[in-house]
Amino acid sequence: MTELRYADPQDDVGSNRSDNPDFNSIVARRLSRRAALRGLMALGAGTALSGPLGAALAGPARAADPTGSSLTFEEIAHGADERHHVAKGYDADVLIRWGDPVAAGAPAVDPAQQTPARQAQQFGYNNDYVAFLPLPLGSSSSDSGLLWVNHEYTNTDLMFAGVDRKGANVTREMVEIELNAHGGSVVELRKSGGKWQVVRDSRHNRRITMNTPMRVSGPASGHERMKTSADPTGRLVQGTLNNCGGGKTPWGTVLTAEENFHQYFAGDPALTPEADNYRRYGVGRSVYTWWAQNVDRFDLAKEAREANRFGWVVEIDPYDPDAVPVKRTALGRFKHEAATCVVNKDGHVVVYSGDDEVNEYVYRFVTEGRYDPQDRGANMNLLDSGTLSVARFDADGSLTWLPLVFGQGPLTPANGFNSQADIAIDTRRAADLLGATKMDRPEDVEANPVTGAVYVMLTNNTQRTAEQVNAPNPRPKSEFGHIVALVPPGGRGADADHAASRFTWTIPILAGDPEKPEVGARYGQGTSKNGWFGSPDNVAFDPRGRMYIATDQGGAWPKTGTADGIWACDVDGPAAYATRFLYRVPIGAEMCGPEFTPDGRTLFVAVQHPAADGVKDSTYDNPATRWPDFQPGMPPRPSIVAITRQDGGEIGT
């Protein structure tokens, strides 16, 4: 019987067997140079960039006093308990929870009487990426808007009574409920009296599930490797799953990123025509019992190519409840953590994405066409043509974007690539051949709109070997992760050239407890005693360009002694200063999806899988917490939380 094991970062075994250089060996060479990263100092000792790079990026994003902070809230303390906590003077209001009505007329949740039909109309499980889109379209309203929320995966043993980690007692109806708990939700929000409310009867409210038809576009559309018995055209996919990070397009659509798609499919990859492909993605290591409940599409023996139809970025128009979602295959197939859009100064749209697994890569897509702010319809297919690239980090502090283009370099029929469709489907293998740099679980990749620096969250990688240890990077295992800042050429903010072929890079934060020398943690000056953290995952920027970091320690949070949460810090170019602890999740939960309203007065966050990680014997019947309801018989419920200041002011200030 399949054990119900979910995507815990500490269990990430990786599937990259290439000889490409890993990022840690490059860091070792980079940090060993006397002039490099001179500002990466111990807690409280200061952070400053030297040379032309520091001079070019110095500016007002940092607090005027480098020993102080522009963040004036009274932060919370490290810890872990059954409730959530927010800084003094702030409110953290639960906005919508698993099972709350989304579609007009949908019933309220009753976990003991849940059905597939009910779940298809209710808020899904394990909310992750959050996007706020103002109403009306094209406005900058911060009092009315649409909220898109990803539903990444399901914790079967916390959703249903009588289910354990061994998969006992899972029924076909439970599987059908789980299928409808995946995907995403659109809900209309309104702010009244300083508090946010869901507009229950809005025409915009909508659920996307694993039963929602989706169109396939781009180079892989209609390809033989995308065809199944249910879809002999290879152009129509049923549903989306494991939607983790995401992004917003400048034309007002949402990009939802399919991440750990491999964990839904069972069978022997060697018996399929996709053996090498599936091994590279880890397909066949199912953690769900869906295939055992005769859901044929997840059984490789019955549908050998269904797994090729997942691992994409999906574009959804939340303003049009009748719009068919589209899987944009030009952006490549891998375990996408994000799909962050930037309009470059030349009008091309740039999309950044990380491949969330140990020893995987950072990617960038640059559209062939240019964004037209006056013609939304003309922008709707921009993501179907352009250049996908993968990052190579070099020890001199430079980064080169390597184009993944059919016919160039090793991407030819001699290596199994017969078209751009093959590159789209086998993106990882194509990146291997180009010599991309292995990274420590690249997750969210976000551009700071004020400085232009691009931050990559590297959550952890316990596969780092002792041979990679050196004085400035003294960790044989990266248990706590770090943050890399990529700096495009051209200048600050809108002057940055995100489409350039070469960037520079630096490391503003090495996470972990700085009071433990063996950890080797590094933070910017002014960081408080509660300002250190482990396993950065997602990141957002307020209107001033300050950085808000969400963490995902998985089951390893006891090593830091604190639950996941939101840490805020001042920045100056790629450097980070004065980190402060703003919000802490309940025990066993992960912090996801930080998203600001345009005025910076609300920070939406997603609290995922409370009572799940790092706690023993936590089940539906006896959970580690019953957050947020704390009602007898009601299990813990993943929820969206709206953080606001009690005086109505800007978050952080």
Side-chain angles (χ1 to χ4, degrees):
M1 187 174 293
T2 300
E3 184 177 359
L4 300 175
R5 295 175 69 251
Y6 307 103
D8 188 319
Q10 302 304 314
D11 295 333
D12 192 345
V13 297
S15 57
N16 191 344
R17 302 294 180 257
S18 74
D19 294 327
N20 291 353
D22 62 84
F23 185 66
N24 301 311
S25 63
I26 293 171
V27 169
R29 297 196 301 272
R30 168 85 162 125
L31 295 186
S32 67
R33 294 168 178 257
R34 177 182 297 178
L37 294 179
R38 187 175 300 170
L40 192 61
M41 307 296 287
L43 177 65
T47 303
L49 289 173
S50 59
L53 178 61
L57 291 169
R62 188 179 64 181
D65 178 2
T67 64
S69 173
S70 71
L71 299 162
T72 58
F73 61 85
E74 183 179 327
E75 66 178 340
I76 58 175
H78 285 168
D81 57 46
E82 64 179 356
R83 298 182 179 273
H84 69 177
H85 300 268
V86 71
K88 184 179 179 180
Y90 286 75
D91 288 329
D93 299 316
V94 174
L95 181 64
I96 189 168
R97 304 155 294 182
W98 166 52
D100 283 349
V102 171
V109 70
D110 180 351
Q113 301 294 326
Q114 188 70 314
T115 68
R118 286 170 176 256
Q119 182 63 83
Q121 302 177 74
Q122 298 167 336
F123 196 67
Y125 206 78
N126 275 344
N127 30 237
D128 198 298
Y129 172 71
V130 177
F132 179 82
L133 301 105
L135 280 174
L137 173 65
S139 75
S140 58
S141 171
S142 292
D143 296 318
S144 178
L146 302 177
L147 203 70
W148 164 267
V149 181
N150 283 359
H151 299 301
E152 185 178 3
Y153 65 97
T154 49
N155 291 85
T156 315
D157 52 335
L158 289 171
M159 291 177 69
F160 304 107
V163 174
D164 63 20
R165 282 284 186 176
K166 298 296 183 183
N169 303 320
V170 174
T171 67
R172 175 62 182 255
E173 184 178 50
M174 290 177 184
V175 171
E176 296 290 346
I177 293 170
E178 288 185 278
L179 287 166
N180 285 334
H182 280 67
S185 294
V186 180
V187 291
E188 182 177 341
L189 303 181
R190 237 176 249 147
K191 196 175 185 182
S192 177
K195 297 294 183 181
W196 287 96
Q197 297 178 343
V198 174
V199 181
R200 297 295 182 189
D201 59 351
S202 171
R203 71 178 187 88
H204 293 291
N205 291 359
R206 181 186 186 190
R207 275 302 321 281
I208 301 293
T209 75
M210 271 297 290
N211 293 304
T212 302
M214 302 192 172
R215 186 166 61 85
V216 181
S217 71
S221 178
H223 193 275
E224 190 67 27
R225 298 174 66 188
M226 296 288 286
K227 297 178 181 178
T228 65
S229 60
D231 173 33
T233 70
R235 300 180 186 276
L236 188 67
V237 174
Q238 187 178 3
T240 180
L241 51 71
N242 214 265
N243 302 79
C244 192
K248 294 183 294 187
T249 69
W251 49 92
T253 60
V254 170
L255 302 180
T256 177
E258 297 178 329
E259 193 191 56
N260 289 307
F261 64 93
H262 71 289
Q263 65 185 12
Y264 298 87
F265 298 90
D268 186 353
L271 301 179
T272 75
E274 299 288 339
D276 291 339
N277 162 20
Y278 286 171
R279 277 193 292 267
R280 187 62 182 84
Y281 289 98
V283 173
R285 302 198 297 258
S286 177
V287 300
Y288 288 93
T289 61
W290 297 359
W291 60 276
Q293 297 296 330
N294 298 314
V295 185
D296 290 352
R297 62 194 297 206
F298 300 106
D299 188 341
L300 297 181
K302 296 177 180 178
E303 282 292 355
R305 283 181 163 145
E306 179 74 9
N308 280 347
R309 294 147 65 83
F310 297 91
W312 305 103
V313 170
V314 185
E315 185 171 10
I316 295 170
D317 187 353
Y319 291 100
D320 181 0
D322 298 319
V324 176
V326 183
K327 298 202 175 189
R328 301 290 184 185
T329 66
L331 276 65
R333 174 173 165 266
F334 45 91
K335 297 175 184 178
H336 290 269
E337 169 69 22
T340 300
C341 292
V342 177
V343 178
N344 201 42
K345 60 183 182 180
D346 59 6
H348 294 288
V349 178
V350 177
V351 184
Y352 291 102
S353 201
D355 187 352
D356 183 8
E357 191 171 319
V358 296
N359 299 319
E360 292 303 336
Y361 308 131
V362 175
Y363 295 86
R364 182 190 73 175
F365 179 82
V366 181
T367 61
E368 180 181 345
R370 288 178 168 84
Y371 168 62
D372 184 349
Q374 306 303 318
D375 190 347
R376 188 173 191 246
N379 299 320
M380 283 296 194
N381 294 314
L382 274 180
L383 300 180
D384 281 342
S385 57
T387 302
L388 179 66
S389 302
V390 65
R392 186 189 73 212
F393 293 78
D394 292 314
D396 62 357
S398 67
L399 177 152
T400 301
W401 293 105
L402 309 171
L404 294 158
V405 178
F406 173 66
Q408 294 186 11
L411 306 183
T412 64
N415 288 312
F417 296 98
N418 296 298
S419 67
Q420 191 64 31
D422 287 327
I423 293 172
I425 294 169
D426 283 326
T427 305
R428 278 185 172 180
R429 194 166 65 85
D432 292 343
L433 291 172
L434 290 183
T437 304
K438 297 178 183 178
M439 307 290 281
D440 286 357
R441 279 191 69 210
E443 299 218 33
D444 202 3
V445 186
E446 298 281 344
N448 188 322
V450 175
T451 69
V454 179
Y455 292 82
V456 182
M457 303 295 107
L458 297 169
T459 299
N460 49 43
N461 183 356
T462 57
Q463 293 186 20
R464 180 182 296 185
T465 66
E467 289 73 22
Q468 294 169 325
V469 169
N470 57 31
N473 190 15
R475 296 181 284 191
K477 293 183 178 181
S478 178
E479 293 186 280
F480 306 105
H482 57 291
I483 297 174
V484 173
L486 317 180
V487 184
R492 293 175 58 89
D495 292 328
D497 185 3
H498 291 272
S501 60
R502 285 174 65 85
F503 286 20
T504 56
W505 64 269
T506 187
I507 300 178
I509 292 174
L510 291 170
D513 185 351
E515 297 298 323
K516 297 179 179 179
E518 68 274 15
V519 170
R522 300 289 187 271
Y523 296 85
Q525 65 184 21
T527 295
S528 73
K529 66 178 182 179
N530 290 302
W532 61 268
F533 55 85
S535 300
D537 186 336
N538 299 132
V539 63
F541 298 94
D542 68 14
R544 298 177 182 229
R546 294 175 298 194
M547 184 163 60
Y548 290 72
I549 301 159
T551 63
D552 174 17
Q553 301 169 92
W557 64 263
K559 293 183 179 180
T560 63
T562 192
D564 287 321
I566 294 286
W567 280 262
C569 66
D570 296 291
V571 299
D572 183 8
Y577 298 81
T579 308
R580 299 282 189 270
F581 197 5
L582 176 67
Y583 175 78
R584 194 177 84 210
V585 300
I587 191 169
E590 170 190 345
M591 184 79 274
C592 305
E595 170 76 345
F596 281 94
T597 51
D599 63 4
R601 295 174 186 268
T602 300
L603 173 61
F604 297 105
V605 296
V607 178
Q608 188 179 108
H609 58 69
D613 283 351
V615 288
K616 290 185 177 181
D617 303 320
S618 180
T619 65
Y620 176 98
D621 297 305
N622 186 30
T625 177
R626 292 191 182 274
W627 184 89
D629 302 287
F630 295 104
Q631 296 294 323
M634 183 65 76
R637 300 165 73 187
S639 304
I640 300 299
V641 174
I643 299 174
T644 54
R645 269 178 48 173
Q646 292 171 352
D647 63 4
E650 288 182 57
I651 300 292
T653 303

